[in-house]
Amino acid sequence: MNKMSRRFKIIDILLIILMVLPLLSCIVLKVVTTPLKEGIVISGAAIFFTIKMPFQDWPVTESQINSLAVMLSILFLCLYLTHGIKDGVWLKRHHFAEIIVEMCKKLVSGNMGDYFISFAPFIAAIIGLSAFSSLVTLCGLYPPTSDLNVVAGWAILVFILITYYKMKCGPVEYVKSFANPVLMAPLNVISEIATPISMAFRHYGNVLSGSVISVLVASALGGLSKMVFGFLPGFLGDIPFLQAGLPAILSIYFDIFSGCLQAYIFAMLTMMYVSGGFPYELYMQRKKQKNCDI
Amino acid sequence: MLEIAVGIILGCCALGAGAAMIAGIGPGIGEGNAVAKACEAIGRQPESKGDVTSTMLMGCAIAETTGLYALVIAILLLFVAPGRFIDILISTIG
Protein backbone atom coordinates (compact mmCIF):
# COMPACT_ATOMS: atom_id res chain seq x y z
CA MET A 1 0.00 0.00 0.00
CA ASN A 2 1.43 3.34 -1.05
CA LYS A 3 1.49 6.27 1.25
CA MET A 4 -1.07 8.92 0.46
CA SER A 5 0.29 12.35 -0.27
CA ARG A 6 -1.07 15.44 1.38
CA ARG A 7 -2.65 16.64 -1.87
CA PHE A 8 -4.58 13.37 -2.17
CA LYS A 9 -5.93 13.73 1.34
CA ILE A 10 -6.99 17.34 0.76
CA ILE A 11 -8.88 16.38 -2.41
CA ASP A 12 -10.52 13.54 -0.47
CA ILE A 13 -11.80 15.88 2.23
CA LEU A 14 -12.93 18.36 -0.42
CA LEU A 15 -14.94 15.64 -2.17
CA ILE A 16 -16.61 14.60 1.09
CA ILE A 17 -17.54 18.21 1.79
CA LEU A 18 -18.93 18.64 -1.73
CA MET A 19 -20.91 15.40 -1.27
CA VAL A 20 -22.67 16.62 1.86
CA LEU A 21 -22.94 20.29 0.89
CA PRO A 22 -25.88 20.05 -1.61
CA LEU A 23 -28.08 18.16 0.87
CA LEU A 24 -27.11 20.49 3.71
CA SER A 25 -27.92 23.56 1.62
CA CYS A 26 -31.28 22.00 0.73
CA ILE A 27 -32.05 21.46 4.42
CA VAL A 28 -31.08 25.07 5.17
CA LEU A 29 -33.24 26.30 2.28
CA LYS A 30 -36.18 24.26 3.57
CA VAL A 31 -35.76 25.53 7.13
CA VAL A 32 -35.51 29.13 5.95
CA THR A 33 -38.42 29.12 3.52
CA THR A 34 -40.98 26.87 5.23
CA PRO A 35 -43.38 28.84 7.42
CA LEU A 36 -44.16 27.51 10.89
CA LYS A 37 -47.26 25.33 10.92
CA GLU A 38 -49.40 23.89 13.65
CA GLY A 39 -49.54 20.10 13.66
CA ILE A 40 -48.82 17.77 10.77
CA VAL A 41 -50.04 18.63 7.29
CA ILE A 42 -49.80 17.02 3.88
CA SER A 43 -48.51 19.42 1.25
CA GLY A 44 -47.04 19.27 -2.23
CA ALA A 45 -43.70 20.64 -3.33
CA ALA A 46 -43.21 24.27 -2.39
CA ILE A 47 -42.71 26.73 -5.26
CA PHE A 48 -39.69 28.94 -4.59
CA PHE A 49 -40.04 31.38 -7.48
CA THR A 50 -41.36 31.53 -11.03
CA ILE A 51 -39.32 32.31 -14.10
CA LYS A 52 -41.06 34.12 -16.95
CA MET A 53 -40.91 32.06 -20.13
CA PRO A 54 -42.34 32.83 -23.60
CA PHE A 55 -45.15 30.23 -23.64
CA GLN A 56 -45.67 29.26 -20.03
CA ASP A 57 -44.21 30.34 -16.73
CA TRP A 58 -41.64 27.98 -15.27
CA PRO A 59 -42.13 27.44 -11.55
CA VAL A 60 -38.92 26.37 -9.79
CA THR A 61 -40.12 23.92 -7.15
CA GLU A 62 -38.63 22.15 -4.18
CA SER A 63 -38.57 18.85 -6.04
CA GLN A 64 -36.43 20.22 -8.87
CA ILE A 65 -33.93 21.74 -6.45
CA ASN A 66 -33.84 18.55 -4.37
CA SER A 67 -33.33 16.28 -7.36
CA LEU A 68 -30.49 18.49 -8.61
CA ALA A 69 -28.93 18.33 -5.14
CA VAL A 70 -29.25 14.53 -5.13
CA MET A 71 -27.59 14.37 -8.57
CA LEU A 72 -24.67 16.52 -7.39
CA SER A 73 -24.38 14.42 -4.25
CA ILE A 74 -24.26 11.16 -6.21
CA LEU A 75 -21.71 12.64 -8.63
CA PHE A 76 -19.32 13.54 -5.81
CA LEU A 77 -19.99 10.21 -4.09
CA CYS A 78 -18.89 8.41 -7.26
CA LEU A 79 -15.82 10.65 -7.59
CA TYR A 80 -14.99 9.96 -3.93
CA LEU A 81 -15.36 6.21 -4.32
CA THR A 82 -13.11 6.07 -7.39
CA HIS A 83 -10.63 8.73 -6.35
CA GLY A 84 -7.09 7.57 -6.99
CA ILE A 85 -8.13 4.29 -8.60
CA LYS A 86 -5.67 4.87 -11.46
CA ASP A 87 -2.81 6.18 -9.34
CA GLY A 88 -2.00 2.81 -7.84
CA VAL A 89 -3.28 3.79 -4.40
CA TRP A 90 -5.18 0.86 -2.89
CA LEU A 91 -8.12 1.73 -0.71
CA LYS A 92 -11.12 -0.24 0.53
CA ARG A 93 -13.62 1.99 -1.19
CA HIS A 94 -12.19 1.08 -4.60
CA HIS A 95 -13.35 -2.47 -4.00
CA PHE A 96 -16.77 -1.12 -3.10
CA ALA A 97 -16.92 0.83 -6.39
CA GLU A 98 -15.84 -2.25 -8.32
CA ILE A 99 -18.53 -4.35 -6.62
CA ILE A 100 -21.19 -1.82 -7.68
CA VAL A 101 -19.97 -1.78 -11.30
CA GLU A 102 -19.77 -5.58 -11.46
CA MET A 103 -23.26 -5.97 -10.00
CA CYS A 104 -24.73 -3.55 -12.53
CA LYS A 105 -23.03 -5.28 -15.44
CA LYS A 106 -24.28 -8.65 -14.22
CA LEU A 107 -27.83 -7.34 -13.79
CA VAL A 108 -27.91 -5.80 -17.27
CA SER A 109 -26.33 -8.75 -19.09
CA GLY A 110 -28.62 -11.14 -17.25
CA ASN A 111 -31.80 -9.27 -18.06
CA MET A 112 -31.10 -7.62 -21.42
CA GLY A 113 -28.51 -9.80 -23.12
CA ASP A 114 -24.94 -8.97 -24.04
CA TYR A 115 -25.93 -6.67 -26.91
CA PHE A 116 -27.18 -4.08 -24.40
CA ILE A 117 -24.15 -4.18 -22.09
CA SER A 118 -23.53 -0.48 -22.79
CA PHE A 119 -26.79 0.21 -20.91
CA ALA A 120 -25.14 -0.62 -17.57
CA PRO A 121 -24.18 2.99 -16.64
CA PHE A 122 -27.65 4.23 -17.54
CA ILE A 123 -29.37 1.57 -15.42
CA ALA A 124 -26.98 2.25 -12.55
CA ALA A 125 -27.77 5.95 -12.83
CA ILE A 126 -31.52 5.27 -12.76
CA ILE A 127 -31.25 3.01 -9.70
CA GLY A 128 -28.96 5.42 -7.86
CA LEU A 129 -30.96 8.54 -8.62
CA SER A 130 -34.29 6.94 -7.82
CA ALA A 131 -33.15 5.26 -4.61
CA PHE A 132 -31.34 8.33 -3.27
CA SER A 133 -34.27 10.57 -4.24
CA SER A 134 -36.57 8.42 -2.11
CA LEU A 135 -34.05 8.09 0.73
CA VAL A 136 -33.68 11.87 0.93
CA THR A 137 -36.75 11.84 3.20
CA LEU A 138 -34.46 10.55 5.95
CA CYS A 139 -32.86 14.01 6.02
CA GLY A 140 -36.31 15.56 6.38
CA LEU A 141 -36.40 16.83 2.81
CA TYR A 142 -39.24 16.59 0.32
CA PRO A 143 -38.60 13.48 -1.82
CA PRO A 144 -38.47 14.42 -5.54
CA THR A 145 -39.99 11.04 -6.47
CA SER A 146 -43.28 11.93 -4.79
CA ASP A 147 -43.73 14.67 -7.40
CA LEU A 148 -45.33 13.32 -10.57
CA ASN A 149 -43.41 15.74 -12.82
CA VAL A 150 -39.98 14.36 -11.90
CA VAL A 151 -40.94 10.71 -12.37
CA ALA A 152 -42.88 11.49 -15.55
CA GLY A 153 -39.70 13.04 -16.95
CA TRP A 154 -37.79 9.80 -16.34
CA ALA A 155 -40.64 7.75 -17.82
CA ILE A 156 -40.70 9.90 -20.97
CA LEU A 157 -36.93 9.42 -21.30
CA VAL A 158 -37.42 5.65 -21.08
CA PHE A 159 -40.26 5.85 -23.62
CA ILE A 160 -37.95 7.68 -26.08
CA LEU A 161 -35.36 4.91 -25.61
CA ILE A 162 -37.97 2.19 -26.20
CA THR A 163 -39.17 3.89 -29.38
CA TYR A 164 -35.60 4.40 -30.60
CA TYR A 165 -34.78 0.72 -30.21
CA LYS A 166 -38.07 -0.31 -31.84
CA MET A 167 -37.24 1.96 -34.81
CA LYS A 168 -33.82 0.37 -35.34
CA CYS A 169 -35.13 -1.66 -38.28
CA GLY A 170 -36.77 1.36 -39.90
CA PRO A 171 -40.17 3.01 -39.46
CA VAL A 172 -41.97 0.45 -41.63
CA GLU A 173 -41.11 -2.37 -39.25
CA TYR A 174 -42.10 -0.14 -36.34
CA VAL A 175 -45.59 0.39 -37.75
CA LYS A 176 -45.85 -3.31 -38.64
CA SER A 177 -45.08 -4.33 -35.08
CA PHE A 178 -48.33 -2.71 -33.93
CA ALA A 179 -50.55 -4.42 -36.47
CA ASN A 180 -49.52 -7.96 -35.66
CA PRO A 181 -53.09 -9.15 -35.74
CA VAL A 182 -54.51 -6.19 -37.66
CA LEU A 183 -57.64 -5.98 -35.50
CA MET A 184 -55.56 -5.53 -32.35
CA ALA A 185 -53.82 -2.39 -33.65
CA PRO A 186 -55.77 0.18 -31.56
CA LEU A 187 -55.23 -1.82 -28.39
CA ASN A 188 -51.51 -2.10 -29.13
CA VAL A 189 -51.26 1.65 -29.65
CA ILE A 190 -53.05 2.26 -26.34
CA SER A 191 -50.82 -0.17 -24.47
CA GLU A 192 -47.76 1.52 -26.00
CA ILE A 193 -48.95 4.90 -24.71
CA ALA A 194 -49.87 3.41 -21.33
CA THR A 195 -46.29 2.22 -20.74
CA PRO A 196 -44.75 5.55 -19.64
CA ILE A 197 -47.93 6.59 -17.83
CA SER A 198 -48.05 3.42 -15.75
CA MET A 199 -44.32 3.57 -15.01
CA ALA A 200 -44.60 7.15 -13.78
CA PHE A 201 -47.77 6.51 -11.75
CA ARG A 202 -46.38 3.36 -10.16
CA HIS A 203 -43.27 5.04 -8.78
CA TYR A 204 -45.01 8.27 -7.80
CA GLY A 205 -48.01 6.54 -6.26
CA ASN A 206 -45.94 4.22 -4.12
CA VAL A 207 -43.75 6.95 -2.65
CA LEU A 208 -46.64 9.40 -2.19
CA SER A 209 -48.97 6.82 -0.62
CA GLY A 210 -46.22 5.90 1.84
CA SER A 211 -45.80 9.49 2.97
CA VAL A 212 -49.59 10.05 3.14
CA ILE A 213 -50.11 6.93 5.27
CA SER A 214 -47.20 7.89 7.56
CA VAL A 215 -48.65 11.37 8.06
CA LEU A 216 -52.16 10.02 8.73
CA VAL A 217 -50.90 7.49 11.29
CA ALA A 218 -48.71 10.07 13.01
CA SER A 219 -51.52 12.62 13.32
CA ALA A 220 -53.99 9.95 14.50
CA LEU A 221 -51.55 8.83 17.20
CA GLY A 222 -51.05 12.46 18.22
CA GLY A 223 -54.81 12.91 18.66
CA LEU A 224 -55.08 9.62 20.55
CA SER A 225 -52.34 10.50 22.98
CA LYS A 226 -53.95 13.91 23.59
CA MET A 227 -57.13 12.02 24.47
CA VAL A 228 -55.45 9.44 26.72
CA PHE A 229 -52.74 11.51 28.43
CA GLY A 230 -54.53 14.87 28.25
CA PHE A 231 -55.37 14.83 31.98
CA LEU A 232 -51.68 15.04 32.99
CA PRO A 233 -50.76 18.41 34.53
CA GLY A 234 -48.74 21.11 32.82
CA PHE A 235 -46.58 20.46 29.79
CA LEU A 236 -46.77 16.68 30.34
CA GLY A 237 -50.24 16.73 28.77
CA ASP A 238 -48.91 18.26 25.54
CA ILE A 239 -46.25 15.61 24.87
CA PRO A 240 -47.54 13.06 22.31
CA PHE A 241 -46.25 9.90 24.03
CA LEU A 242 -47.98 7.50 21.64
CA GLN A 243 -46.28 9.05 18.60
CA ALA A 244 -43.02 7.35 19.55
CA GLY A 245 -42.45 3.93 18.01
CA LEU A 246 -45.01 3.06 15.36
CA PRO A 247 -44.23 5.89 12.86
CA ALA A 248 -40.57 4.86 12.96
CA ILE A 249 -41.45 1.27 12.03
CA LEU A 250 -43.69 2.55 9.23
CA SER A 251 -40.85 4.77 8.05
CA ILE A 252 -38.50 1.77 7.80
CA TYR A 253 -40.97 0.12 5.44
CA PHE A 254 -42.25 3.10 3.46
CA ASP A 255 -39.11 5.22 3.22
CA ILE A 256 -36.28 2.71 3.07
CA PHE A 257 -37.68 -0.61 1.81
CA SER A 258 -40.34 0.75 -0.53
CA GLY A 259 -38.07 3.46 -1.95
CA CYS A 260 -35.30 1.01 -2.79
CA LEU A 261 -37.78 -1.54 -4.14
CA GLN A 262 -39.38 1.04 -6.43
CA ALA A 263 -35.95 2.05 -7.77
CA TYR A 264 -35.20 -1.60 -8.54
CA ILE A 265 -38.59 -2.11 -10.18
CA PHE A 266 -38.26 1.03 -12.31
CA ALA A 267 -34.86 -0.13 -13.55
CA MET A 268 -36.10 -3.69 -14.16
CA LEU A 269 -39.08 -2.43 -16.17
CA THR A 270 -36.79 -0.14 -18.19
CA MET A 271 -34.57 -3.10 -19.03
CA MET A 272 -37.48 -5.35 -19.89
CA TYR A 273 -39.28 -2.85 -22.10
CA VAL A 274 -36.15 -1.73 -23.97
CA SER A 275 -34.83 -5.22 -24.61
CA GLY A 276 -38.30 -6.63 -25.25
CA GLY A 277 -39.20 -4.06 -27.88
CA PHE A 278 -35.97 -4.44 -29.83
CA PRO A 279 -36.30 -6.90 -32.77
CA TYR A 280 -32.88 -8.45 -32.20
CA GLU A 281 -32.92 -11.28 -34.74
CA LEU A 282 -34.27 -9.15 -37.60
CA TYR A 283 -31.70 -6.47 -36.87
CA MET A 284 -28.82 -8.96 -36.84
CA GLN A 285 -30.05 -10.53 -40.09
CA ARG A 286 -30.18 -7.16 -41.81
CA LYS A 287 -26.78 -6.20 -40.49
CA LYS A 288 -25.30 -9.40 -41.87
CA GLN A 289 -26.94 -8.79 -45.25
CA LYS A 290 -25.58 -5.26 -45.36
CA ASN A 291 -22.08 -6.48 -44.60
CA CYS A 292 -22.36 -9.09 -47.36
CA ASP A 293 -23.53 -6.49 -49.89
CA ILE A 294 -20.56 -4.26 -49.21
CA MET B 1 -76.75 29.00 -0.10
CA LEU B 2 -73.07 29.15 -1.03
CA GLU B 3 -72.14 27.27 2.14
CA ILE B 4 -74.45 24.40 1.19
CA ALA B 5 -72.98 24.26 -2.32
CA VAL B 6 -69.41 24.20 -1.01
CA GLY B 7 -70.37 21.54 1.53
CA ILE B 8 -71.92 19.38 -1.17
CA ILE B 9 -68.77 19.73 -3.30
CA LEU B 10 -66.45 18.78 -0.45
CA GLY B 11 -68.62 15.86 0.66
CA CYS B 12 -68.97 14.48 -2.86
CA CYS B 13 -65.22 14.73 -3.42
CA ALA B 14 -64.57 12.73 -0.25
CA LEU B 15 -67.23 10.15 -1.19
CA GLY B 16 -65.73 9.84 -4.66
CA ALA B 17 -62.26 9.30 -3.20
CA GLY B 18 -63.60 6.58 -0.93
CA ALA B 19 -65.46 4.93 -3.79
CA ALA B 20 -62.36 5.05 -6.00
CA MET B 21 -60.35 3.10 -3.44
CA ILE B 22 -62.69 0.10 -3.80
CA ALA B 23 -60.25 -0.73 -6.59
CA GLY B 24 -57.78 -1.66 -3.85
CA ILE B 25 -59.55 -5.02 -3.47
CA GLY B 26 -58.33 -6.31 -6.82
CA PRO B 27 -54.58 -5.87 -6.35
CA GLY B 28 -54.93 -7.22 -2.80
CA ILE B 29 -56.39 -10.51 -4.03
CA GLY B 30 -53.95 -10.67 -6.94
CA GLU B 31 -50.85 -10.05 -4.86
CA GLY B 32 -52.03 -12.55 -2.26
CA ASN B 33 -52.31 -15.18 -4.96
CA ALA B 34 -48.88 -14.29 -6.33
CA VAL B 35 -47.20 -14.53 -2.93
CA ALA B 36 -48.97 -17.82 -2.13
CA LYS B 37 -47.76 -19.34 -5.37
CA ALA B 38 -44.25 -18.01 -4.76
CA CYS B 39 -44.25 -19.65 -1.31
CA GLU B 40 -45.33 -22.92 -2.89
CA ALA B 41 -42.57 -22.64 -5.48
CA ILE B 42 -39.93 -21.95 -2.82
CA GLY B 43 -41.23 -24.88 -0.80
CA ARG B 44 -40.88 -27.14 -3.80
CA GLN B 45 -37.48 -25.83 -4.91
CA PRO B 46 -35.72 -24.03 -2.05
CA GLU B 47 -32.57 -23.50 -4.14
CA SER B 48 -34.42 -21.14 -6.53
CA LYS B 49 -35.40 -18.74 -3.75
CA GLY B 50 -33.62 -15.70 -5.16
CA ASP B 51 -35.07 -15.95 -8.64
CA VAL B 52 -38.58 -16.63 -7.37
CA THR B 53 -38.45 -13.72 -4.94
CA SER B 54 -37.28 -11.19 -7.53
CA THR B 55 -39.85 -12.39 -10.07
CA MET B 56 -42.58 -12.24 -7.43
CA LEU B 57 -41.64 -8.67 -6.49
CA MET B 58 -41.79 -7.65 -10.17
CA GLY B 59 -45.17 -9.30 -10.59
CA CYS B 60 -46.49 -7.68 -7.43
CA ALA B 61 -45.34 -4.29 -8.64
CA ILE B 62 -47.14 -4.74 -11.94
CA ALA B 63 -50.29 -6.07 -10.27
CA GLU B 64 -50.25 -3.06 -7.98
CA THR B 65 -50.60 -0.64 -10.91
CA THR B 66 -54.40 -0.67 -11.07
CA GLY B 67 -54.64 0.00 -7.36
CA LEU B 68 -52.22 2.87 -7.75
CA TYR B 69 -54.31 4.39 -10.54
CA ALA B 70 -57.23 4.41 -8.09
CA LEU B 71 -54.98 5.90 -5.42
CA VAL B 72 -53.88 8.71 -7.75
CA ILE B 73 -57.51 9.48 -8.59
CA ALA B 74 -58.43 9.46 -4.89
CA ILE B 75 -55.55 11.80 -4.04
CA LEU B 76 -56.54 14.14 -6.88
CA LEU B 77 -60.14 14.12 -5.60
CA LEU B 78 -59.05 14.87 -2.05
CA PHE B 79 -56.36 17.51 -2.56
CA VAL B 80 -56.79 19.05 -6.03
CA ALA B 81 -60.42 18.75 -7.10
CA PRO B 82 -62.23 20.66 -4.28
CA GLY B 83 -60.28 23.87 -4.84
CA ARG B 84 -60.79 23.68 -8.57
CA PHE B 85 -64.53 22.97 -8.29
CA ILE B 86 -65.01 25.80 -5.80
CA ASP B 87 -63.15 28.16 -8.17
CA ILE B 88 -65.51 27.13 -10.97
CA LEU B 89 -68.52 27.61 -8.69
CA ILE B 90 -67.43 31.08 -7.63
CA SER B 91 -66.61 32.14 -11.19
CA THR B 92 -70.06 31.01 -12.40
CA ILE B 93 -71.82 32.84 -9.59
CA GLY B 94 -69.74 35.89 -10.42
Side-chain angles (χ1 to χ4, degrees), chain A residues 198 201-202 204-206 208-209 261 264-265 268-269 272, chain B residues 54 57-58 61-62 64-65 68-69 71-72 75-76 79:
Chain A
S198 74
F201 274 177
R202 182 175 302 125
Y204 149 83
N206 268 298
L208 182 70
S209 68
L261 185 68
Y264 173 73
I265 284 167
M268 281 294 275
L269 285 178
M272 273 166 51
Chain B
S54 63
L57 284 177
M58 277 301 295
I62 291 177
E64 224 172 38
T65 311
L68 286 168
Y69 288 157
L71 175 85
V72 168
I75 284 173
L76 286 179
F79 295 117

Side-chain angles (χ1 to χ4, degrees), chain B residues 1-90:
Chain B
M1 204 59 204
L2 194 64
E3 289 88 20
I4 297 171
V6 170
I8 288 173
I9 285 175
L10 291 179
C12 287
C13 283
L15 276 179
M21 284 317 289
I22 293 173
I25 295 170
I29 295 171
E31 281 179 34
N33 276 337
V35 176
K37 292 284 175 191
C39 288
E40 273 178 25
I42 291 172
R44 216 176 294 131
Q45 281 176 307
E47 69 274 8
S48 67
K49 192 182 172 196
D51 285 346
V52 170
T53 311
S54 63
T55 314
M56 183 200 73
L57 284 177
M58 277 301 295
C60 281
I62 291 177
E64 224 172 38
T65 311
T66 47
L68 286 168
Y69 288 157
L71 175 85
V72 168
I73 287 168
I75 284 173
L76 286 179
L77 274 175
L78 278 182
F79 295 117
V80 182
R84 195 148 297 173
F85 286 150
I86 288 169
D87 282 354
I88 293 169
L89 180 75
I90 288 171

Side-chain angles (χ1 to χ4, degrees), chain A residues 75-108:
Chain A
L75 171 67
F76 288 116
L77 175 70
C78 293
L79 285 179
Y80 172 72
L81 282 178
T82 57
H83 184 213
I85 204 163
K86 282 181 182 167
D87 302 342
V89 189
W90 278 102
L91 296 168
K92 272 181 189 164
R93 54 179 190 245
H94 293 167
H95 296 291
F96 194 64
E98 279 176 18
I99 287 170
I100 294 174
V101 171
E102 288 288 319
M103 264 170 62
C104 276
K105 279 194 173 163
K106 219 164 86 183
L107 190 71
V108 170

Side-chain angles (χ1 to χ4, degrees), chain A residues 255-285:
Chain A
D255 291 342
I256 299 176
F257 177 72
S258 183
C260 294
L261 185 68
Q262 289 311 312
Y264 173 73
I265 284 167
F266 195 89
M268 281 294 275
L269 285 178
T270 305
M271 289 191 280
M272 273 166 51
Y273 283 132
V274 171
S275 65
F278 178 55
Y280 181 74
E281 282 170 10
L282 192 70
Y283 181 69
M284 282 296 153
Q285 213 178 333

Side-chain angles (χ1 to χ4, degrees), chain A residues 28-267:
Chain A
V28 169
L29 196 66
K30 173 149 184 155
V31 169
V32 168
T33 55
T34 314
L36 273 177
K37 283 172 292 197
E38 282 290 314
I40 306 164
V41 288
I42 303 165
S43 62
I47 296 172
F48 288 129
F49 52 90
T50 337
I51 297 172
K52 285 259 181 282
M53 290 299 245
F55 296 108
Q56 200 180 4
D57 286 350
W58 173 26
V60 176
T61 59
E62 209 176 350
S63 51
Q64 290 169 15
I65 306 274
N66 282 0
S67 68
L68 278 175
V70 169
M71 280 178 215
L72 278 178
S73 223
I74 293 175
L75 171 67
F76 288 116
L77 175 70
C78 293
L79 285 179
Y80 172 72
L81 282 178
T82 57
H83 184 213
I85 204 163
K86 282 181 182 167
D87 302 342
V89 189
W90 278 102
L91 296 168
K92 272 181 189 164
R93 54 179 190 245
H94 293 167
H95 296 291
F96 194 64
E98 279 176 18
I99 287 170
I100 294 174
V101 171
E102 288 288 319
M103 264 170 62
C104 276
K105 279 194 173 163
K106 219 164 86 183
L107 190 71
V108 170
S109 69
N111 285 304
M112 297 174 89
D114 286 331
Y115 179 79
F116 285 103
I117 198 67
S118 55
F119 258 69
F122 177 69
I123 298 297
I126 280 187
I127 294 183
L129 184 55
S130 170
F132 277 93
S133 297
S134 302
L135 289 178
V136 97
T137 39
L138 298 178
C139 311
L141 292 170
Y142 181 83
T145 40
S146 76
D147 189 336
L148 182 57
N149 300 316
V150 174
V151 192
W154 302 349
I156 289 169
L157 181 67
V158 171
F159 180 67
I160 291 169
L161 271 176
I162 295 168
T163 315
Y164 174 76
Y165 274 94
K166 277 193 175 178
M167 286 247 192
K168 272 258 177 180
C169 289
V172 180
E173 289 293 330
Y174 179 68
V175 175
K176 251 194 218 166
S177 74
F178 284 112
N180 199 1
V182 180
L183 284 176
M184 290 288 274
L187 286 179
N188 284 335
V189 171
I190 289 172
S191 76
E192 185 74 14
I193 296 167
T195 305
I197 296 174
S198 74
M199 276 175 89
F201 274 177
R202 182 175 302 125
H203 198 148
Y204 149 83
N206 268 298
V207 178
L208 182 70
S209 68
S211 58
V212 168
I213 292 170
S214 305
V215 166
L216 285 180
V217 168
S219 60
L221 285 175
L224 193 68
S225 73
K226 202 172 267 177
M227 226 164 68
V228 176
F229 296 108
F231 65 89
L232 289 173
F235 68 94
L236 275 175
D238 293 336
I239 301 173
F241 287 106
L242 288 176
Q243 260 183 17
L246 188 58
I249 296 166
L250 282 182
S251 167
I252 287 176
Y253 176 76
F254 284 124
D255 291 342
I256 299 176
F257 177 72
S258 183
C260 294
L261 185 68
Q262 289 311 312
Y264 173 73
I265 284 167
F266 195 89

